[in-house]
Amino acid sequence: MIKNGKLAAAIIKPDYVLTPEGLKEGWGVRIEEGRIACVGPWDTLGSGSNEEAQTVCLPGQMLLPGFVNGHNHMYGVLSHGITAEAMVTDFSDYLEDFWWPYVEDRVDHDLARITTRWACVEMIDSGVTSFVDILEGPNSIPGALEVEKEEVEKAGLRGYLSFEACERKSRENGLLGLKENFDFAKACNEENGLVKGVMSIHTLFTCGEDFIREAKRMADEAGCLLHMHMSESDLEPAWAKEHLRTTPVEAYDGMGCLDGNILASQLVQVTDEEIAILAEKDVKGISMPLSNCEVGGGIAPIEKMLEAGITVGLGTDGYVNNFFEVM
């Protein structure tokens, strides 16, 4: 569809198009300069620019909007097929004896680039056009997000990229992670590009209160979302009860960190009271049902969250990136 070095106009004619108003038979899409110019019945797609359009007929096919993968770890492909000497019996073991030493701590710029490239292939293959990614790799910063950005732009996907900052390694490494997110978000979010930045932290048990408050302050200054993993298993609620005498949601609320610019992932072990707070504060949630099964975290109360009015999206968690499988 390239003509004279430019992307030519194209008319896509499947049998059906899925629109916000429902399934439409005999509809198609007109694309001009890489953007959707028109969605409508076949006989209306010829109008538009004077440029001759290439027509692509797709009999027996349905065209639908691209999926949004609300939570991905593109580097997660590194865990596929890994053998480990450690015996994993619960979520704490999974992190401390497997994920952190065998996967996360080994990520460098080369692995970030290669895994981003492969994850983009997997996402495109299953219809994902937009995604949020969280890079976990304390030894990959600074500069890892720029490496990922190059590959995402080549793939033509819309990506919101972040580095998961925490104090697991050290406070210095955690602050370097916050700076990685802040600088990237400030630079990208002022551009009109496909790739944007998000501030991201890990959990309450790897981030101190001052660290979390600073992350929220920086996110607000950068004008971007703040993401965190929240109650992925019973580990964080138990930790919060022991160390903070409260629940994870109540802890974040007490810090003044919950509002409409918060993206909370997992939300498996949340109480009815916590769901009410999340709804009141307009926090957005992302559920990863397949990875929750993988790590034994439990089953998220998605129906309750939807009934409370919480916006809930789906993510792959970098576990199985086929979005049809996730759905």
PDB file of all heavy atoms in Angstrom, residues 92-116:
ATOM      1  N   SER A  92       5.371 -15.641  47.536  1.00  0.00           N
ATOM      2  CA  SER A  92       6.622 -15.083  48.037  1.00  0.00           C
ATOM      3  C   SER A  92       7.816 -15.835  47.465  1.00  0.00           C
ATOM      4  O   SER A  92       8.799 -15.231  47.026  1.00  0.00           O
ATOM      5  CB  SER A  92       6.641 -15.143  49.567  1.00  0.00           C
ATOM      6  OG  SER A  92       7.873 -14.654  50.069  1.00  0.00           O
ATOM      7  N   ASP A  93       7.740 -17.163  47.465  1.00  0.00           N
ATOM      8  CA  ASP A  93       8.802 -17.971  46.860  1.00  0.00           C
ATOM      9  C   ASP A  93       8.929 -17.675  45.370  1.00  0.00           C
ATOM     10  O   ASP A  93      10.025 -17.631  44.819  1.00  0.00           O
ATOM     11  CB  ASP A  93       8.505 -19.466  47.035  1.00  0.00           C
ATOM     12  CG  ASP A  93       8.654 -19.920  48.477  1.00  0.00           C
ATOM     13  OD1 ASP A  93       9.283 -19.179  49.256  1.00  0.00           O
ATOM     14  OD2 ASP A  93       8.139 -20.999  48.802  1.00  0.00           O
ATOM     15  N   TYR A  94       7.784 -17.516  44.721  1.00  0.00           N
ATOM     16  CA  TYR A  94       7.778 -17.250  43.282  1.00  0.00           C
ATOM     17  C   TYR A  94       8.611 -16.010  42.963  1.00  0.00           C
ATOM     18  O   TYR A  94       9.409 -16.007  42.008  1.00  0.00           O
ATOM     19  CB  TYR A  94       6.338 -17.072  42.803  1.00  0.00           C
ATOM     20  CG  TYR A  94       6.208 -16.693  41.344  1.00  0.00           C
ATOM     21  CD1 TYR A  94       6.296 -17.652  40.339  1.00  0.00           C
ATOM     22  CD2 TYR A  94       5.999 -15.361  40.973  1.00  0.00           C
ATOM     23  CE1 TYR A  94       6.187 -17.305  39.001  1.00  0.00           C
ATOM     24  CE2 TYR A  94       5.884 -15.010  39.635  1.00  0.00           C
ATOM     25  CZ  TYR A  94       5.980 -15.983  38.663  1.00  0.00           C
ATOM     26  OH  TYR A  94       5.873 -15.619  37.348  1.00  0.00           O
ATOM     27  N   LEU A  95       8.447 -14.942  43.761  1.00  0.00           N
ATOM     28  CA  LEU A  95       9.196 -13.714  43.529  1.00  0.00           C
ATOM     29  C   LEU A  95      10.660 -13.856  43.940  1.00  0.00           C
ATOM     30  O   LEU A  95      11.578 -13.591  43.157  1.00  0.00           O
ATOM     31  CB  LEU A  95       8.555 -12.557  44.299  1.00  0.00           C
ATOM     32  CG  LEU A  95       7.191 -12.057  43.819  1.00  0.00           C
ATOM     33  CD1 LEU A  95       6.683 -10.959  44.745  1.00  0.00           C
ATOM     34  CD2 LEU A  95       7.268 -11.541  42.394  1.00  0.00           C
ATOM     35  N   GLU A  96      10.875 -14.275  45.181  1.00  0.00           N
ATOM     36  CA  GLU A  96      12.213 -14.233  45.761  1.00  0.00           C
ATOM     37  C   GLU A  96      13.143 -15.323  45.225  1.00  0.00           C
ATOM     38  O   GLU A  96      14.353 -15.089  45.082  1.00  0.00           O
ATOM     39  CB  GLU A  96      12.108 -14.336  47.280  1.00  0.00           C
ATOM     40  CG  GLU A  96      11.393 -13.139  47.917  1.00  0.00           C
ATOM     41  CD  GLU A  96      11.217 -13.299  49.416  1.00  0.00           C
ATOM     42  OE1 GLU A  96      11.755 -14.296  49.973  1.00  0.00           O
ATOM     43  OE2 GLU A  96      10.554 -12.452  50.029  1.00  0.00           O
ATOM     44  N   ASP A  97      12.589 -16.495  44.943  1.00  0.00           N
ATOM     45  CA  ASP A  97      13.441 -17.618  44.543  1.00  0.00           C
ATOM     46  C   ASP A  97      13.422 -17.905  43.052  1.00  0.00           C
ATOM     47  O   ASP A  97      14.261 -18.670  42.555  1.00  0.00           O
ATOM     48  CB  ASP A  97      13.013 -18.889  45.293  1.00  0.00           C
ATOM     49  CG  ASP A  97      13.158 -18.752  46.788  1.00  0.00           C
ATOM     50  OD1 ASP A  97      14.011 -17.948  47.221  1.00  0.00           O
ATOM     51  OD2 ASP A  97      12.412 -19.422  47.537  1.00  0.00           O
ATOM     52  N   PHE A  98      12.459 -17.312  42.332  1.00  0.00           N
ATOM     53  CA  PHE A  98      12.393 -17.578  40.897  1.00  0.00           C
ATOM     54  C   PHE A  98      12.433 -16.287  40.085  1.00  0.00           C
ATOM     55  O   PHE A  98      13.405 -16.007  39.390  1.00  0.00           O
ATOM     56  CB  PHE A  98      11.136 -18.381  40.549  1.00  0.00           C
ATOM     57  CG  PHE A  98      10.921 -18.555  39.073  1.00  0.00           C
ATOM     58  CD1 PHE A  98      11.777 -19.347  38.309  1.00  0.00           C
ATOM     59  CD2 PHE A  98       9.883 -17.910  38.422  1.00  0.00           C
ATOM     60  CE1 PHE A  98      11.598 -19.492  36.938  1.00  0.00           C
ATOM     61  CE2 PHE A  98       9.687 -18.045  37.053  1.00  0.00           C
ATOM     62  CZ  PHE A  98      10.545 -18.842  36.310  1.00  0.00           C
ATOM     63  N   TRP A  99      11.371 -15.476  40.160  1.00  0.00           N
ATOM     64  CA  TRP A  99      11.213 -14.369  39.220  1.00  0.00           C
ATOM     65  C   TRP A  99      12.341 -13.344  39.332  1.00  0.00           C
ATOM     66  O   TRP A  99      12.918 -12.932  38.319  1.00  0.00           O
ATOM     67  CB  TRP A  99       9.864 -13.687  39.425  1.00  0.00           C
ATOM     68  CG  TRP A  99       9.528 -12.775  38.289  1.00  0.00           C
ATOM     69  CD1 TRP A  99       9.640 -11.418  38.250  1.00  0.00           C
ATOM     70  CD2 TRP A  99       9.050 -13.167  36.997  1.00  0.00           C
ATOM     71  NE1 TRP A  99       9.250 -10.926  37.031  1.00  0.00           N
ATOM     72  CE2 TRP A  99       8.881 -11.988  36.229  1.00  0.00           C
ATOM     73  CE3 TRP A  99       8.733 -14.386  36.418  1.00  0.00           C
ATOM     74  CZ2 TRP A  99       8.426 -11.994  34.927  1.00  0.00           C
ATOM     75  CZ3 TRP A  99       8.271 -14.397  35.113  1.00  0.00           C
ATOM     76  CH2 TRP A  99       8.124 -13.223  34.386  1.00  0.00           C
ATOM     77  N   TRP A 100      12.648 -12.927  40.540  1.00  0.00           N
ATOM     78  CA  TRP A 100      13.670 -11.892  40.694  1.00  0.00           C
ATOM     79  C   TRP A 100      15.061 -12.380  40.272  1.00  0.00           C
ATOM     80  O   TRP A 100      15.697 -11.756  39.426  1.00  0.00           O
ATOM     81  CB  TRP A 100      13.672 -11.366  42.128  1.00  0.00           C
ATOM     82  CG  TRP A 100      12.477 -10.508  42.435  1.00  0.00           C
ATOM     83  CD1 TRP A 100      11.662  -9.882  41.539  1.00  0.00           C
ATOM     84  CD2 TRP A 100      11.947 -10.192  43.720  1.00  0.00           C
ATOM     85  NE1 TRP A 100      10.662  -9.193  42.189  1.00  0.00           N
ATOM     86  CE2 TRP A 100      10.815  -9.360  43.528  1.00  0.00           C
ATOM     87  CE3 TRP A 100      12.310 -10.517  45.030  1.00  0.00           C
ATOM     88  CZ2 TRP A 100      10.063  -8.863  44.580  1.00  0.00           C
ATOM     89  CZ3 TRP A 100      11.566 -10.013  46.089  1.00  0.00           C
ATOM     90  CH2 TRP A 100      10.456  -9.198  45.868  1.00  0.00           C
ATOM     91  N   PRO A 101      15.564 -13.499  40.800  1.00  0.00           N
ATOM     92  CA  PRO A 101      16.932 -13.904  40.432  1.00  0.00           C
ATOM     93  C   PRO A 101      17.059 -14.507  39.040  1.00  0.00           C
ATOM     94  O   PRO A 101      18.071 -14.294  38.365  1.00  0.00           O
ATOM     95  CB  PRO A 101      17.296 -14.931  41.510  1.00  0.00           C
ATOM     96  CG  PRO A 101      15.994 -15.507  41.947  1.00  0.00           C
ATOM     97  CD  PRO A 101      15.018 -14.373  41.881  1.00  0.00           C
ATOM     98  N   TYR A 102      16.066 -15.264  38.595  1.00  0.00           N
ATOM     99  CA  TYR A 102      16.194 -15.984  37.331  1.00  0.00           C
ATOM    100  C   TYR A 102      15.786 -15.149  36.109  1.00  0.00           C
ATOM    101  O   TYR A 102      16.242 -15.414  35.002  1.00  0.00           O
ATOM    102  CB  TYR A 102      15.349 -17.260  37.354  1.00  0.00           C
ATOM    103  CG  TYR A 102      16.004 -18.399  38.100  1.00  0.00           C
ATOM    104  CD1 TYR A 102      15.793 -18.564  39.464  1.00  0.00           C
ATOM    105  CD2 TYR A 102      16.835 -19.309  37.453  1.00  0.00           C
ATOM    106  CE1 TYR A 102      16.389 -19.596  40.157  1.00  0.00           C
ATOM    107  CE2 TYR A 102      17.437 -20.356  38.139  1.00  0.00           C
ATOM    108  CZ  TYR A 102      17.211 -20.492  39.502  1.00  0.00           C
ATOM    109  OH  TYR A 102      17.808 -21.518  40.195  1.00  0.00           O
ATOM    110  N   VAL A 103      14.911 -14.160  36.322  1.00  0.00           N
ATOM    111  CA  VAL A 103      14.389 -13.403  35.183  1.00  0.00           C
ATOM    112  C   VAL A 103      14.720 -11.918  35.321  1.00  0.00           C
ATOM    113  O   VAL A 103      15.513 -11.359  34.543  1.00  0.00           O
ATOM    114  CB  VAL A 103      12.867 -13.594  35.026  1.00  0.00           C
ATOM    115  CG1 VAL A 103      12.360 -12.855  33.790  1.00  0.00           C
ATOM    116  CG2 VAL A 103      12.513 -15.071  34.949  1.00  0.00           C
ATOM    117  N   GLU A 104      14.117 -11.268  36.300  1.00  0.00           N
ATOM    118  CA  GLU A 104      14.154  -9.811  36.389  1.00  0.00           C
ATOM    119  C   GLU A 104      15.573  -9.252  36.499  1.00  0.00           C
ATOM    120  O   GLU A 104      15.928  -8.291  35.810  1.00  0.00           O
ATOM    121  CB  GLU A 104      13.320  -9.383  37.600  1.00  0.00           C
ATOM    122  CG  GLU A 104      13.058  -7.911  37.700  1.00  0.00           C
ATOM    123  CD  GLU A 104      12.071  -7.590  38.806  1.00  0.00           C
ATOM    124  OE1 GLU A 104      11.032  -8.272  38.898  1.00  0.00           O
ATOM    125  OE2 GLU A 104      12.351  -6.657  39.578  1.00  0.00           O
ATOM    126  N   ASP A 105      16.383  -9.838  37.361  1.00  0.00           N
ATOM    127  CA  ASP A 105      17.720  -9.290  37.606  1.00  0.00           C
ATOM    128  C   ASP A 105      18.673  -9.502  36.429  1.00  0.00           C
ATOM    129  O   ASP A 105      19.761  -8.924  36.396  1.00  0.00           O
ATOM    130  CB  ASP A 105      18.326  -9.912  38.870  1.00  0.00           C
ATOM    131  CG  ASP A 105      17.613  -9.449  40.132  1.00  0.00           C
ATOM    132  OD1 ASP A 105      16.799  -8.517  40.037  1.00  0.00           O
ATOM    133  OD2 ASP A 105      17.870 -10.022  41.209  1.00  0.00           O
ATOM    134  N   ARG A 106      18.294 -10.328  35.468  1.00  0.00           N
ATOM    135  CA  ARG A 106      19.165 -10.613  34.333  1.00  0.00           C
ATOM    136  C   ARG A 106      18.896  -9.712  33.119  1.00  0.00           C
ATOM    137  O   ARG A 106      19.633  -9.753  32.138  1.00  0.00           O
ATOM    138  CB  ARG A 106      19.002 -12.075  33.904  1.00  0.00           C
ATOM    139  CG  ARG A 106      19.403 -13.067  34.991  1.00  0.00           C
ATOM    140  CD  ARG A 106      19.289 -14.503  34.516  1.00  0.00           C
ATOM    141  NE  ARG A 106      19.698 -15.437  35.569  1.00  0.00           N
ATOM    142  CZ  ARG A 106      19.776 -16.763  35.398  1.00  0.00           C
ATOM    143  NH1 ARG A 106      19.473 -17.283  34.222  1.00  0.00           N
ATOM    144  NH2 ARG A 106      20.151 -17.534  36.393  1.00  0.00           N
ATOM    145  N   VAL A 107      17.841  -8.908  33.198  1.00  0.00           N
ATOM    146  CA  VAL A 107      17.473  -8.066  32.050  1.00  0.00           C
ATOM    147  C   VAL A 107      18.463  -6.921  31.887  1.00  0.00           C
ATOM    148  O   VAL A 107      18.748  -6.182  32.835  1.00  0.00           O
ATOM    149  CB  VAL A 107      16.050  -7.504  32.222  1.00  0.00           C
ATOM    150  CG1 VAL A 107      15.705  -6.582  31.058  1.00  0.00           C
ATOM    151  CG2 VAL A 107      15.043  -8.641  32.315  1.00  0.00           C
ATOM    152  N   ASP A 108      19.007  -6.779  30.666  1.00  0.00           N
ATOM    153  CA  ASP A 108      19.846  -5.646  30.307  1.00  0.00           C
ATOM    154  C   ASP A 108      19.275  -5.015  29.036  1.00  0.00           C
ATOM    155  O   ASP A 108      18.175  -5.375  28.600  1.00  0.00           O
ATOM    156  CB  ASP A 108      21.300  -6.078  30.114  1.00  0.00           C
ATOM    157  CG  ASP A 108      21.454  -7.188  29.064  1.00  0.00           C
ATOM    158  OD1 ASP A 108      20.497  -7.429  28.285  1.00  0.00           O
ATOM    159  OD2 ASP A 108      22.527  -7.822  29.023  1.00  0.00           O
ATOM    160  N   HIS A 109      19.988  -4.086  28.440  1.00  0.00           N
ATOM    161  CA  HIS A 109      19.469  -3.409  27.248  1.00  0.00           C
ATOM    162  C   HIS A 109      19.246  -4.371  26.094  1.00  0.00           C
ATOM    163  O   HIS A 109      18.245  -4.265  25.367  1.00  0.00           O
ATOM    164  CB  HIS A 109      20.428  -2.297  26.820  1.00  0.00           C
ATOM    165  CG  HIS A 109      20.304  -1.053  27.637  1.00  0.00           C
ATOM    166  ND1 HIS A 109      20.838   0.161  27.261  1.00  0.00           N
ATOM    167  CD2 HIS A 109      19.696  -0.816  28.836  1.00  0.00           C
ATOM    168  CE1 HIS A 109      20.572   1.081  28.169  1.00  0.00           C
ATOM    169  NE2 HIS A 109      19.889   0.507  29.142  1.00  0.00           N
ATOM    170  N   ASP A 110      20.156  -5.314  25.895  1.00  0.00           N
ATOM    171  CA  ASP A 110      20.014  -6.260  24.793  1.00  0.00           C
ATOM    172  C   ASP A 110      18.766  -7.120  24.962  1.00  0.00           C
ATOM    173  O   ASP A 110      18.005  -7.330  24.010  1.00  0.00           O
ATOM    174  CB  ASP A 110      21.251  -7.154  24.683  1.00  0.00           C
ATOM    175  CG  ASP A 110      22.455  -6.416  24.123  1.00  0.00           C
ATOM    176  OD1 ASP A 110      22.253  -5.368  23.478  1.00  0.00           O
ATOM    177  OD2 ASP A 110      23.589  -6.880  24.345  1.00  0.00           O
ATOM    178  N   LEU A 111      18.544  -7.621  26.173  1.00  0.00           N
ATOM    179  CA  LEU A 111      17.366  -8.446  26.410  1.00  0.00           C
ATOM    180  C   LEU A 111      16.091  -7.618  26.333  1.00  0.00           C
ATOM    181  O   LEU A 111      15.055  -8.105  25.872  1.00  0.00           O
ATOM    182  CB  LEU A 111      17.469  -9.150  27.767  1.00  0.00           C
ATOM    183  CG  LEU A 111      18.489 -10.290  27.845  1.00  0.00           C
ATOM    184  CD1 LEU A 111      18.540 -10.869  29.251  1.00  0.00           C
ATOM    185  CD2 LEU A 111      18.152 -11.390  26.838  1.00  0.00           C
ATOM    186  N   ALA A 112      16.154  -6.368  26.778  1.00  0.00           N
ATOM    187  CA  ALA A 112      14.979  -5.493  26.673  1.00  0.00           C
ATOM    188  C   ALA A 112      14.609  -5.287  25.211  1.00  0.00           C
ATOM    189  O   ALA A 112      13.420  -5.306  24.841  1.00  0.00           O
ATOM    190  CB  ALA A 112      15.256  -4.151  27.345  1.00  0.00           C
ATOM    191  N   ARG A 113      15.592  -5.113  24.349  1.00  0.00           N
ATOM    192  CA  ARG A 113      15.335  -4.888  22.932  1.00  0.00           C
ATOM    193  C   ARG A 113      14.749  -6.145  22.276  1.00  0.00           C
ATOM    194  O   ARG A 113      13.740  -6.084  21.562  1.00  0.00           O
ATOM    195  CB  ARG A 113      16.626  -4.493  22.213  1.00  0.00           C
ATOM    196  CG  ARG A 113      16.428  -4.175  20.734  1.00  0.00           C
ATOM    197  CD  ARG A 113      17.734  -3.805  20.055  1.00  0.00           C
ATOM    198  NE  ARG A 113      18.374  -2.681  20.698  1.00  0.00           N
ATOM    199  CZ  ARG A 113      18.037  -1.409  20.495  1.00  0.00           C
ATOM    200  NH1 ARG A 113      17.052  -1.124  19.652  1.00  0.00           N
ATOM    201  NH2 ARG A 113      18.667  -0.427  21.106  1.00  0.00           N
ATOM    202  N   ILE A 114      15.362  -7.283  22.526  1.00  0.00           N
ATOM    203  CA  ILE A 114      14.941  -8.524  21.886  1.00  0.00           C
ATOM    204  C   ILE A 114      13.542  -8.927  22.335  1.00  0.00           C
ATOM    205  O   ILE A 114      12.695  -9.324  21.524  1.00  0.00           O
ATOM    206  CB  ILE A 114      15.952  -9.653  22.193  1.00  0.00           C
ATOM    207  CG1 ILE A 114      17.290  -9.353  21.512  1.00  0.00           C
ATOM    208  CG2 ILE A 114      15.420 -10.997  21.735  1.00  0.00           C
ATOM    209  CD1 ILE A 114      18.415 -10.246  21.980  1.00  0.00           C
ATOM    210  N   THR A 115      13.279  -8.828  23.630  1.00  0.00           N
ATOM    211  CA  THR A 115      11.970  -9.242  24.137  1.00  0.00           C
ATOM    212  C   THR A 115      10.868  -8.281  23.705  1.00  0.00           C
ATOM    213  O   THR A 115       9.737  -8.699  23.480  1.00  0.00           O
ATOM    214  CB  THR A 115      11.991  -9.373  25.672  1.00  0.00           C
ATOM    215  OG1 THR A 115      12.478  -8.145  26.251  1.00  0.00           O
ATOM    216  CG2 THR A 115      12.893 -10.514  26.107  1.00  0.00           C
ATOM    217  N   THR A 116      11.185  -6.999  23.589  1.00  0.00           N
ATOM    218  CA  THR A 116      10.203  -6.041  23.082  1.00  0.00           C
ATOM    219  C   THR A 116       9.824  -6.384  21.651  1.00  0.00           C
ATOM    220  O   THR A 116       8.645  -6.380  21.280  1.00  0.00           O
ATOM    221  CB  THR A 116      10.763  -4.604  23.132  1.00  0.00           C
ATOM    222  OG1 THR A 116      11.033  -4.253  24.492  1.00  0.00           O
ATOM    223  CG2 THR A 116       9.775  -3.609  22.538  1.00  0.00           C
TER     224      THR A 116
END
